[in-house]
Amino acid sequence: MISPQKPNKENDENQPLEDLHEWEDDLLRRYPEPTEDPVRSKFTDADKKEEEFRDYEADTRDTVREFYRLNHRYQTVDFVRQKRDEYLSLKRERMSLWDGLEFLNTLVDDSDPDTDLSQIQHLLQTSEAIRADGHPRWFVLAGLVHDLGKVLCLWNEPQWAVVGDTFPVGCRFSDKIVFAKFFADNPDSSVAEYQTELGIYEKGCGLDQVLMSWGHDEYIYHVTKDYLPLEALYMLRYHSFYPAHREGEYDYLMNDQDREYFRWVNAFNPYDLYTKSSEPPNVAELRPYYDDLIAEFFPSEIDF
Ligand SMILES: [Fe+2]
Ligand SMILES: [Fe+2]
């Protein structure tokens, strides 16, 4: 089963990014690590001006812009429902969590193998930074598995249906979503029912009732939901929901539990964004610790 695989590049129009890290590198440009330097921190200032948003968009590389154009064009209520039907019965594979990580590691894209870390190395950097800060074991494990949902790429899903900032569908698209102008081409933009503030939802219904744009977050939440504590599940399910956890949008869809548990999403985000270094973690050396950690929470095999 485990041999190097290329993501589906036969339809290159659907795969504008050189590799999935390109989206994450761009997130770092949008949300740089907080610093005293006024130039570097200008995009994260609380009082950032619209002009600076425009600067961000103007400076975005064409591949990333095209990626967002496709994502915003194609993530519709119908598309999300179709993908949920296709994947959430978890009938695709049954394997151990570590085998899932090794399967993800077979994702070979156009990144440079000499300088770019493997998928497992990226996940271990995140989890090791969490562990070094003395957080609970479930938090470390959340770091290890948070991007495991990117295996969707290996099942030929286009990049725009695996990564990207996530957002609710079935209600008005927030104008704080990155490149919100591209929603003009989304067919849901002309469905009146979907374009009120609440759309198909009720005020305060809770995010669990909300259809999020389809991607690696929602998928890995469903794979792990019987095994991890709720704090970790919030981290996994909403870690790319930047319009909420960074921009403060969609509060009207949240219930009290969401508001309480988003503090864990916020606690997780810096480890996701700011732990990328070129120093590769030693997978073989770390493996025994993580075998124990995985066995503490997961059975020997789980459904994907
Ligand atoms: Fe992610
Ligand atoms: Fe990540």
Side-chain angles (χ1 to χ4, degrees):
M1 178 190 74
I2 296 176
S3 57
Q5 301 197 26
K6 281 250 176 199
N8 178 18
K9 279 271 186 180
E10 68 208 24
N11 182 359
D12 274 346
E13 272 171 35
N14 255 329
Q15 316 286 16
L17 301 176
E18 273 184 24
D19 63 78
L20 297 183
H21 297 141
E22 217 183 334
W23 164 63
E24 276 141 357
D25 291 346
D26 190 69
L27 274 175
L28 259 182
R29 198 169 65 81
R30 191 166 4 124
Y31 300 116
E33 194 160 11
T35 161
E36 295 307 302
D37 178 344
V39 176
R40 277 196 62 213
S41 65
K42 72 175 185 174
F43 294 123
T44 47
D45 282 352
D47 59 350
K48 61 188 158 193
K49 300 181 185 70
E50 232 159 76
E51 207 180 296
E52 289 165 350
F53 273 121
R54 280 204 300 276
D55 283 354
Y56 158 78
E57 294 194 353
D59 293 346
T60 302
R61 33 201 305 194
D62 290 347
T63 48
V64 174
R65 180 192 317 273
E66 176 61 8
F67 163 78
Y68 279 119
R69 194 185 68 77
L70 295 170
N71 175 276
H72 294 5
R73 161 73 180 73
Y74 291 117
Q75 292 274 357
T76 62
V77 169
D78 286 348
F79 176 76
V80 169
R81 287 196 172 129
Q82 181 201 322
K83 287 295 154 190
R84 293 174 67 94
D85 284 351
E86 190 179 336
Y87 282 102
L88 297 188
S89 54
L90 306 180
K91 295 270 188 282
R92 206 157 284 259
E93 291 276 352
R94 191 168 165 77
M95 56 188 159
S96 73
L97 193 106
W98 190 271
D99 283 347
L101 292 167
E102 291 198 335
F103 180 48
L104 176 65
N105 222 30
T106 64
L107 180 60
V108 179
D109 45 32
D110 293 344
S111 52
D112 180 350
D114 293 331
T115 56
D116 289 334
L117 299 182
S118 72
Q119 301 286 336
I120 288 184
Q121 285 172 325
H122 270 292
L123 288 170
L124 284 171
Q125 274 194 338
T126 308
S127 61
E128 282 293 287
I130 294 166
R131 183 181 168 198
D133 282 352
H135 289 298
R137 285 168 70 80
W138 57 260
F139 195 158
V140 179
L141 188 51
L144 181 73
V145 304
H146 78 279
D147 279 340
L148 180 53
K150 290 179 182 172
V151 292
L152 290 169
C153 267
L154 294 166
W155 296 319
N156 287 335
E157 292 300 327
Q159 290 165 341
W160 55 262
V162 179
V163 295
D165 305 42
T166 59
F167 49 84
V169 295
C171 61
R172 185 188 297 151
F173 302 114
S174 161
D175 59 10
K176 298 262 182 67
I177 299 169
V178 63
F179 284 107
K181 64 183 178 191
F182 290 144
F183 286 117
D185 291 334
N186 185 304
D188 285 359
S189 292
S190 39
V191 178
E193 192 196 0
Y194 299 157
Q195 286 315 312
T196 62
E197 185 177 72
L198 289 170
I200 59 176
Y201 309 110
E202 278 171 32
K203 191 171 170 60
C205 61
L207 292 177
D208 190 49
Q209 302 299 308
V210 171
L211 293 173
M212 297 294 293
S213 57
W214 178 251
H216 71 289
D217 309 57
E218 185 69 16
Y219 176 66
I220 198 57
Y221 161 72
H222 284 271
V223 170
T224 57
K225 70 176 165 21
D226 293 338
Y227 310 113
L228 294 176
L230 191 56
E231 292 86 345
L233 294 173
Y234 264 83
M235 293 171 177
L236 301 188
R237 196 176 196 182
Y238 301 115
H239 74 273
S240 306
F241 192 8
Y242 286 86
H245 68 71
R246 282 296 186 120
E247 304 295 337
E249 295 287 275
Y250 295 107
D251 183 72
Y252 44 85
L253 295 177
M254 293 189 183
N255 58 22
D256 289 344
Q257 178 185 285
D258 295 327
R259 284 186 203 99
E260 186 189 333
Y261 279 77
F262 255 61
R263 90 184 167 88
W264 295 106
V265 181
N266 292 325
F268 176 75
N269 187 244
Y271 293 104
D272 193 10
L273 281 187
Y274 308 130
T275 56
K276 315 275 194 298
S277 72
S278 48
E279 193 55 49
N282 185 325
V283 179
E285 239 168 56
L286 293 169
R287 177 82 191 265
Y289 169 85
Y290 284 97
D291 278 344
D292 278 355
L293 182 59
I294 291 167
E296 190 180 326
F297 290 88
F298 288 96
S300 57
E301 289 189 329
I302 56 171
D303 293 317
F304 285 79

